[in-house]
mmCIF file of all heavy atoms in Angstrom:
data_model
loop_
_atom_site.group_PDB
_atom_site.id
_atom_site.type_symbol
_atom_site.label_atom_id
_atom_site.label_comp_id
_atom_site.label_asym_id
_atom_site.label_seq_id
_atom_site.Cartn_x
_atom_site.Cartn_y
_atom_site.Cartn_z
ATOM 1 N N ALA A 70 -29.389 67.218 -65.376
ATOM 2 C CA ALA A 70 -28.805 66.914 -64.057
ATOM 3 C C ALA A 70 -27.289 66.718 -64.169
ATOM 4 O O ALA A 70 -26.529 67.189 -63.315
ATOM 5 C CB ALA A 70 -29.474 65.681 -63.466
ATOM 6 N N ILE A 71 -26.843 66.038 -65.211
ATOM 7 C CA ILE A 71 -25.395 65.821 -65.394
ATOM 8 C C ILE A 71 -24.696 67.177 -65.528
ATOM 9 O O ILE A 71 -23.656 67.420 -64.903
ATOM 10 C CB ILE A 71 -25.113 64.944 -66.641
ATOM 11 C CG1 ILE A 71 -25.646 63.526 -66.447
ATOM 12 C CG2 ILE A 71 -23.613 64.916 -66.950
ATOM 13 C CD1 ILE A 71 -25.595 62.655 -67.706
ATOM 14 N N GLU A 72 -25.284 68.068 -66.317
ATOM 15 C CA GLU A 72 -24.636 69.365 -66.541
ATOM 16 C C GLU A 72 -24.556 70.180 -65.244
ATOM 17 O O GLU A 72 -23.618 70.954 -65.046
ATOM 18 C CB GLU A 72 -25.359 70.140 -67.642
ATOM 19 C CG GLU A 72 -24.534 71.306 -68.121
ATOM 20 C CD GLU A 72 -24.900 71.796 -69.517
ATOM 21 O OE1 GLU A 72 -25.447 71.018 -70.310
ATOM 22 O OE2 GLU A 72 -24.621 72.954 -69.800
ATOM 23 N N LYS A 73 -25.545 70.000 -64.367
ATOM 24 C CA LYS A 73 -25.488 70.681 -63.060
ATOM 25 C C LYS A 73 -24.412 70.064 -62.166
ATOM 26 O O LYS A 73 -23.763 70.757 -61.386
ATOM 27 C CB LYS A 73 -26.838 70.534 -62.337
ATOM 28 C CG LYS A 73 -27.905 71.500 -62.795
ATOM 29 C CD LYS A 73 -29.105 71.393 -61.853
ATOM 30 C CE LYS A 73 -30.352 71.917 -62.521
ATOM 31 N NZ LYS A 73 -31.563 71.261 -62.032
ATOM 32 N N ALA A 74 -24.266 68.745 -62.254
ATOM 33 C CA ALA A 74 -23.443 68.027 -61.276
ATOM 34 C C ALA A 74 -21.972 67.910 -61.665
ATOM 35 O O ALA A 74 -21.106 67.815 -60.791
ATOM 36 C CB ALA A 74 -24.020 66.621 -61.063
ATOM 37 N N ILE A 75 -21.697 67.875 -62.955
ATOM 38 C CA ILE A 75 -20.334 67.579 -63.427
ATOM 39 C C ILE A 75 -19.782 68.792 -64.170
ATOM 40 O O ILE A 75 -20.382 69.217 -65.170
ATOM 41 C CB ILE A 75 -20.349 66.355 -64.394
ATOM 42 C CG1 ILE A 75 -21.075 65.154 -63.762
ATOM 43 C CG2 ILE A 75 -18.942 65.997 -64.852
ATOM 44 C CD1 ILE A 75 -20.393 64.532 -62.577
ATOM 45 N N PRO A 76 -18.643 69.341 -63.724
ATOM 46 C CA PRO A 76 -18.079 70.482 -64.448
ATOM 47 C C PRO A 76 -17.757 70.088 -65.895
ATOM 48 O O PRO A 76 -17.028 69.122 -66.130
ATOM 49 C CB PRO A 76 -16.788 70.792 -63.672
ATOM 50 C CG PRO A 76 -16.974 70.140 -62.341
ATOM 51 C CD PRO A 76 -17.848 68.947 -62.568
ATOM 52 N N CYS A 77 -18.366 70.799 -66.845
ATOM 53 C CA CYS A 77 -18.121 70.497 -68.258
ATOM 54 C C CYS A 77 -18.619 71.676 -69.089
ATOM 55 O O CYS A 77 -19.405 72.493 -68.602
ATOM 56 C CB CYS A 77 -18.827 69.206 -68.689
ATOM 57 S SG CYS A 77 -20.628 69.237 -68.534
ATOM 58 N N GLN A 78 -18.167 71.711 -70.339
ATOM 59 C CA GLN A 78 -18.636 72.801 -71.212
ATOM 60 C C GLN A 78 -20.074 72.578 -71.634
ATOM 61 O O GLN A 78 -20.856 73.500 -71.809
ATOM 62 C CB GLN A 78 -17.741 72.911 -72.436
ATOM 63 C CG GLN A 78 -16.364 73.469 -72.094
ATOM 64 C CD GLN A 78 -15.514 73.675 -73.330
ATOM 65 O OE1 GLN A 78 -16.010 73.849 -74.437
ATOM 66 N NE2 GLN A 78 -14.214 73.619 -73.152
ATOM 67 N N ARG A 79 -20.419 71.300 -71.866
ATOM 68 C CA ARG A 79 -21.781 70.913 -72.234
ATOM 69 C C ARG A 79 -21.889 69.394 -72.178
ATOM 70 O O ARG A 79 -20.880 68.699 -72.104
ATOM 71 C CB ARG A 79 -22.151 71.408 -73.636
ATOM 72 C CG ARG A 79 -21.287 70.808 -74.732
ATOM 73 C CD ARG A 79 -21.659 71.364 -76.099
ATOM 74 N NE ARG A 79 -21.545 72.808 -76.124
ATOM 75 C CZ ARG A 79 -22.420 73.616 -76.751
ATOM 76 N NH1 ARG A 79 -23.454 73.118 -77.399
ATOM 77 N NH2 ARG A 79 -22.247 74.921 -76.748
ATOM 78 N N VAL A 80 -23.128 68.917 -72.245
ATOM 79 C CA VAL A 80 -23.325 67.466 -72.302
ATOM 80 C C VAL A 80 -23.637 67.092 -73.751
ATOM 81 O O VAL A 80 -24.573 67.640 -74.352
ATOM 82 C CB VAL A 80 -24.462 67.023 -71.356
ATOM 83 C CG1 VAL A 80 -24.779 65.536 -71.540
ATOM 84 C CG2 VAL A 80 -24.070 67.299 -69.904
ATOM 85 N N GLY A 81 -22.853 66.168 -74.281
ATOM 86 C CA GLY A 81 -23.073 65.685 -75.650
ATOM 87 C C GLY A 81 -23.931 64.433 -75.639
ATOM 88 O O GLY A 81 -24.020 63.720 -74.630
ATOM 89 N N ILE A 82 -24.566 64.180 -76.759
ATOM 90 C CA ILE A 82 -25.422 62.996 -76.893
ATOM 91 C C ILE A 82 -24.964 62.200 -78.117
ATOM 92 O O ILE A 82 -24.625 62.783 -79.143
ATOM 93 C CB ILE A 82 -26.906 63.417 -77.001
ATOM 94 C CG1 ILE A 82 -27.836 62.208 -77.058
ATOM 95 C CG2 ILE A 82 -27.158 64.338 -78.172
ATOM 96 C CD1 ILE A 82 -29.306 62.568 -76.878
ATOM 97 N N SER A 83 -24.933 60.881 -77.951
ATOM 98 C CA SER A 83 -24.451 60.039 -79.038
ATOM 99 C C SER A 83 -25.172 58.698 -78.975
ATOM 100 O O SER A 83 -25.441 58.195 -77.891
ATOM 101 C CB SER A 83 -22.939 59.849 -78.839
ATOM 102 O OG SER A 83 -22.413 59.031 -79.820
ATOM 103 N N VAL A 84 -25.480 58.163 -80.123
ATOM 104 C CA VAL A 84 -26.056 56.810 -80.171
ATOM 105 C C VAL A 84 -25.223 56.007 -81.147
ATOM 106 O O VAL A 84 -25.079 56.400 -82.306
ATOM 107 C CB VAL A 84 -27.530 56.831 -80.617
ATOM 108 C CG1 VAL A 84 -28.072 55.409 -80.724
ATOM 109 C CG2 VAL A 84 -28.378 57.654 -79.659
ATOM 110 N N ILE A 85 -24.667 54.888 -80.670
ATOM 111 C CA ILE A 85 -23.816 54.073 -81.535
ATOM 112 C C ILE A 85 -24.379 52.648 -81.563
ATOM 113 O O ILE A 85 -24.996 52.245 -82.532
ATOM 114 C CB ILE A 85 -22.351 54.126 -81.053
ATOM 115 C CG1 ILE A 85 -21.887 55.594 -81.075
ATOM 116 C CG2 ILE A 85 -21.466 53.281 -81.969
ATOM 117 C CD1 ILE A 85 -20.571 55.855 -80.452
ATOM 118 N N GLY A 86 -24.157 51.905 -80.500
ATOM 119 C CA GLY A 86 -24.812 50.600 -80.403
ATOM 120 C C GLY A 86 -24.098 49.458 -81.093
ATOM 121 O O GLY A 86 -24.684 48.392 -81.293
ATOM 122 N N LEU A 87 -22.823 49.653 -81.443
ATOM 123 C CA LEU A 87 -22.114 48.559 -82.119
ATOM 124 C C LEU A 87 -21.675 47.474 -81.146
ATOM 125 O O LEU A 87 -21.393 46.352 -81.546
ATOM 126 C CB LEU A 87 -20.889 49.115 -82.865
ATOM 127 C CG LEU A 87 -21.227 49.966 -84.095
ATOM 128 C CD1 LEU A 87 -19.968 50.611 -84.664
ATOM 129 C CD2 LEU A 87 -21.919 49.116 -85.162
ATOM 130 N N GLU A 88 -21.634 47.789 -79.845
ATOM 131 C CA GLU A 88 -21.158 46.814 -78.865
ATOM 132 C C GLU A 88 -22.320 46.080 -78.192
ATOM 133 O O GLU A 88 -22.285 44.858 -78.047
ATOM 134 C CB GLU A 88 -20.304 47.543 -77.816
ATOM 135 C CG GLU A 88 -19.662 46.632 -76.789
ATOM 136 C CD GLU A 88 -18.937 47.426 -75.686
ATOM 137 O OE1 GLU A 88 -18.436 48.543 -75.963
ATOM 138 O OE2 GLU A 88 -18.893 46.928 -74.555
ATOM 139 N N VAL A 89 -23.324 46.811 -77.766
ATOM 140 C CA VAL A 89 -24.437 46.192 -77.021
ATOM 141 C C VAL A 89 -25.734 46.374 -77.815
ATOM 142 O O VAL A 89 -26.153 47.509 -78.065
ATOM 143 C CB VAL A 89 -24.581 46.833 -75.614
ATOM 144 C CG1 VAL A 89 -25.750 46.206 -74.867
ATOM 145 C CG2 VAL A 89 -23.295 46.676 -74.812
ATOM 146 N N PRO A 90 -26.372 45.265 -78.218
ATOM 147 C CA PRO A 90 -27.563 45.360 -79.069
ATOM 148 C C PRO A 90 -28.836 45.635 -78.271
ATOM 149 O O PRO A 90 -29.806 44.863 -78.321
ATOM 150 C CB PRO A 90 -27.609 43.985 -79.754
ATOM 151 C CG PRO A 90 -27.012 43.065 -78.749
ATOM 152 C CD PRO A 90 -25.964 43.870 -77.998
ATOM 153 N N HIS A 91 -28.808 46.709 -77.505
ATOM 154 C CA HIS A 91 -29.974 47.149 -76.715
ATOM 155 C C HIS A 91 -29.867 48.673 -76.716
ATOM 156 O O HIS A 91 -28.869 49.205 -76.210
ATOM 157 C CB HIS A 91 -29.880 46.565 -75.298
ATOM 158 C CG HIS A 91 -31.035 46.897 -74.403
ATOM 159 N ND1 HIS A 91 -31.491 46.027 -73.413
ATOM 160 C CD2 HIS A 91 -31.823 47.989 -74.319
ATOM 161 C CE1 HIS A 91 -32.502 46.588 -72.777
ATOM 162 N NE2 HIS A 91 -32.722 47.783 -73.298
ATOM 163 N N VAL A 92 -30.860 49.327 -77.293
ATOM 164 C CA VAL A 92 -30.784 50.797 -77.480
ATOM 165 C C VAL A 92 -30.229 51.495 -76.249
ATOM 166 O O VAL A 92 -30.688 51.243 -75.128
ATOM 167 C CB VAL A 92 -32.183 51.377 -77.778
ATOM 168 C CG1 VAL A 92 -32.134 52.912 -77.786
ATOM 169 C CG2 VAL A 92 -32.728 50.852 -79.096
ATOM 170 N N HIS A 93 -29.243 52.377 -76.471
ATOM 171 C CA HIS A 93 -28.727 53.195 -75.382
ATOM 172 C C HIS A 93 -28.255 54.535 -75.918
ATOM 173 O O HIS A 93 -27.591 54.616 -76.944
ATOM 174 C CB HIS A 93 -27.596 52.496 -74.608
ATOM 175 C CG HIS A 93 -26.540 51.870 -75.455
ATOM 176 N ND1 HIS A 93 -26.726 50.700 -76.156
ATOM 177 C CD2 HIS A 93 -25.275 52.263 -75.738
ATOM 178 C CE1 HIS A 93 -25.627 50.392 -76.818
ATOM 179 N NE2 HIS A 93 -24.722 51.337 -76.582
ATOM 180 N N VAL A 94 -28.630 55.575 -75.179
ATOM 181 C CA VAL A 94 -28.212 56.942 -75.494
ATOM 182 C C VAL A 94 -27.029 57.264 -74.590
ATOM 183 O O VAL A 94 -27.136 57.169 -73.368
ATOM 184 C CB VAL A 94 -29.368 57.927 -75.221
ATOM 185 C CG1 VAL A 94 -28.886 59.375 -75.324
ATOM 186 C CG2 VAL A 94 -30.529 57.669 -76.181
ATOM 187 N N HIS A 95 -25.891 57.597 -75.199
ATOM 188 C CA HIS A 95 -24.733 58.042 -74.416
ATOM 189 C C HIS A 95 -24.905 59.528 -74.108
ATOM 190 O O HIS A 95 -25.102 60.327 -75.040
ATOM 191 C CB HIS A 95 -23.433 57.906 -75.218
ATOM 192 C CG HIS A 95 -23.014 56.505 -75.553
ATOM 193 N ND1 HIS A 95 -22.107 55.803 -74.798
ATOM 194 C CD2 HIS A 95 -23.357 55.687 -76.577
ATOM 195 C CE1 HIS A 95 -21.891 54.615 -75.345
ATOM 196 N NE2 HIS A 95 -22.642 54.514 -76.432
ATOM 197 N N LEU A 96 -24.808 59.908 -72.847
ATOM 198 C CA LEU A 96 -24.751 61.318 -72.459
ATOM 199 C C LEU A 96 -23.355 61.540 -71.896
ATOM 200 O O LEU A 96 -22.970 60.883 -70.913
ATOM 201 C CB LEU A 96 -25.806 61.633 -71.390
ATOM 202 C CG LEU A 96 -27.259 61.410 -71.812
ATOM 203 C CD1 LEU A 96 -28.186 61.655 -70.630
ATOM 204 C CD2 LEU A 96 -27.637 62.321 -72.979
ATOM 205 N N ILE A 97 -22.609 62.442 -72.532
ATOM 206 C CA ILE A 97 -21.186 62.569 -72.184
ATOM 207 C C ILE A 97 -20.842 64.024 -71.845
ATOM 208 O O ILE A 97 -21.018 64.912 -72.688
ATOM 209 C CB ILE A 97 -20.299 62.087 -73.353
ATOM 210 C CG1 ILE A 97 -20.718 60.678 -73.797
ATOM 211 C CG2 ILE A 97 -18.825 62.101 -72.950
ATOM 212 C CD1 ILE A 97 -20.145 60.244 -75.129
ATOM 213 N N PRO A 98 -20.379 64.273 -70.608
ATOM 214 C CA PRO A 98 -19.898 65.617 -70.286
ATOM 215 C C PRO A 98 -18.673 65.922 -71.153
ATOM 216 O O PRO A 98 -17.707 65.156 -71.153
ATOM 217 C CB PRO A 98 -19.501 65.513 -68.803
ATOM 218 C CG PRO A 98 -20.178 64.282 -68.298
ATOM 219 C CD PRO A 98 -20.260 63.352 -69.474
ATOM 220 N N LEU A 99 -18.751 67.018 -71.901
ATOM 221 C CA LEU A 99 -17.677 67.331 -72.852
ATOM 222 C C LEU A 99 -16.877 68.553 -72.413
ATOM 223 O O LEU A 99 -17.449 69.576 -72.049
ATOM 224 C CB LEU A 99 -18.282 67.632 -74.233
ATOM 225 C CG LEU A 99 -19.119 66.534 -74.889
ATOM 226 C CD1 LEU A 99 -19.719 67.052 -76.199
ATOM 227 C CD2 LEU A 99 -18.290 65.278 -75.148
ATOM 228 N N ASN A 100 -15.559 68.392 -72.468
ATOM 229 C CA ASN A 100 -14.670 69.540 -72.301
ATOM 230 C C ASN A 100 -13.791 69.726 -73.528
ATOM 231 O O ASN A 100 -13.179 70.770 -73.714
ATOM 232 C CB ASN A 100 -13.821 69.401 -71.042
ATOM 233 C CG ASN A 100 -14.656 69.670 -69.799
ATOM 234 O OD1 ASN A 100 -15.185 70.764 -69.631
ATOM 235 N ND2 ASN A 100 -14.831 68.672 -68.953
ATOM 236 N N SER A 101 -13.722 68.686 -74.348
ATOM 237 C CA SER A 101 -12.988 68.801 -75.609
ATOM 238 C C SER A 101 -13.549 67.750 -76.564
ATOM 239 O O SER A 101 -14.297 66.852 -76.155
ATOM 240 C CB SER A 101 -11.497 68.524 -75.390
ATOM 241 O OG SER A 101 -11.292 67.128 -75.270
#
Side-chain angles (χ1 to χ4, degrees):
I71 294 171
E72 194 158 336
K73 279 189 201 151
I75 308 293
C77 61
Q78 289 184 25
R79 63 182 57 220
V80 173
I82 183 168
S83 179
V84 177
I85 301 171
L87 290 173
E88 184 186 330
V89 179
H91 182 148
V92 173
H93 47 286
V94 171
H95 294 264
L96 299 176
I97 307 166
L99 301 176
N100 285 299
S101 77

